[in-house]
Amino acid sequence: MRVAIAGAGAVGRSIAGELLENGHEVLLIDKAPTAISVERVPQAEWLLADACEITSLDEAALQRCHVVIAATGDDKVNLVVSLLAKTEYGVPRVVARVNNPKNEWLFTEAWGVDVAVSTPRLMSALVEEAVSVGDLVRLLRFSHGDANLVELTLPPESAVAGTRVGDVEWPEDTSLVTIIRGSRVLTPSPDETLEAGDELLFVAAQAREEQLENLLSVRHEDAASD
């Protein structure tokens, strides 16, 4: 898979390193000469250019990329790169970094963004995830389809603790992706039994998040008596 990363700072280089280790072809683009540190990621291609310019993206052969990652520290640049990648070059998957949470509402399909990654939101979500049991925590927002990656640690009093995955009446537009149980990562087969303390990862429509949290967090008879 060929991936172009706009922004060769610490974030961009770290992403490039991970992708290269997984066998992908990576191109790093940055307009600052000081950011071009070929020795730090020697396996990557490097391009000194402004990723907001069509001529630069032509030189980068963006139409050959399967994924573009807009990873600069400037939200305006990331939006422009995302829009150009999607509309001018038809890149199938565009991932954009959100630096200022106040700008998160802009990072949508209208700007060519398939996945928006807000570093401040993700960090706060991970803090919440570390201390919250029974609360739904939003980890990542997918712009396309208005879906989110969400996590919930199943509390002992949950109505579904001890229930087979296949026997749970999940809300529409939600999908259980992974069960994390201690050090194990489990694929949620219909016969897998949910246990208190399981970390459940879902892709869910935003409109279904409250319904999903209510289903998982409390016993039905407790909710009815409140």
Side-chain angles (χ1 to χ4, degrees):
M1 182 171 68
R2 188 169 192 262
V3 182
I5 302 173
V11 172
R13 293 195 306 270
S14 296
I15 296 169
E18 292 284 341
L19 291 171
L20 288 163
E21 285 184 9
N22 290 326
H24 300 297
E25 179 185 347
V26 176
L27 168 65
L28 282 160
I29 308 170
D30 205 296
K31 67 178 182 180
T34 54
I36 305 300
S37 304
V38 177
E39 69 282 358
R40 294 191 179 186
V41 193
Q43 305 95 327
E45 298 178 52
W46 289 79
L47 178 63
L48 176 61
D50 187 346
C52 292
E53 297 288 343
I54 289 288
T55 53
S56 300
L57 300 181
D58 285 342
E59 186 178 354
L62 220 65
Q63 69 279 0
R64 291 179 43 229
C65 291
H66 303 90
V67 180
V68 164
I69 302 173
T72 78
D74 188 323
D75 285 344
K76 296 187 294 297
V77 170
N78 291 342
L79 285 169
V80 171
V81 171
S82 298
L83 185 63
L84 292 175
K86 184 65 72 174
T87 60
E88 297 296 325
Y89 298 92
V91 176
R93 190 74 165 168
V94 176
V95 179
R97 172 188 177 188
V98 185
N99 296 278
N100 187 339
K102 292 182 180 179
N103 297 329
E104 190 173 2
W105 66 277
L106 288 166
F107 286 73
T108 65
E109 190 178 7
W111 278 92
V113 178
D114 295 305
V115 180
V117 181
S118 172
T119 303
R121 178 182 290 277
L122 183 56
M123 292 181 69
S124 64
L126 290 172
V127 170
E128 290 177 20
E129 186 271 336
V131 298
S132 301
V133 174
D135 294 328
L136 200 69
V137 178
R138 187 180 298 168
L139 298 177
L140 192 66
R141 180 174 61 83
F142 300 98
S143 299
H144 185 70
D146 193 30
N148 299 312
L149 178 66
V150 298
E151 184 272 351
L152 183 140
T153 299
L154 203 63
E157 65 273 17
S158 171
V160 302
T163 305
R164 293 168 63 252
V165 169
D167 293 336
V168 179
E169 294 186 13
W170 302 107
E172 292 183 7
D173 303 320
T174 66
S175 178
L176 176 60
V177 178
T178 303
I179 301 171
I180 302 174
R181 183 174 296 154
S183 60
R184 301 173 62 199
V185 179
L186 306 175
T187 300
S189 69
D191 292 328
E192 187 66 51
T193 300
L194 299 171
E195 298 180 4
D198 284 350
E199 293 182 46
L200 307 179
L201 288 170
F202 294 87
V203 174
Q206 186 167 332
R208 301 294 182 181
E209 289 181 4
E210 183 176 358
Q211 185 180 352
L212 181 62
E213 184 173 25
N214 290 338
L215 171 67
L216 297 172
S217 296
V218 297
R219 290 197 178 279
H220 297 156
E221 59 267 26
D222 293 341
S225 64
D226 288 341

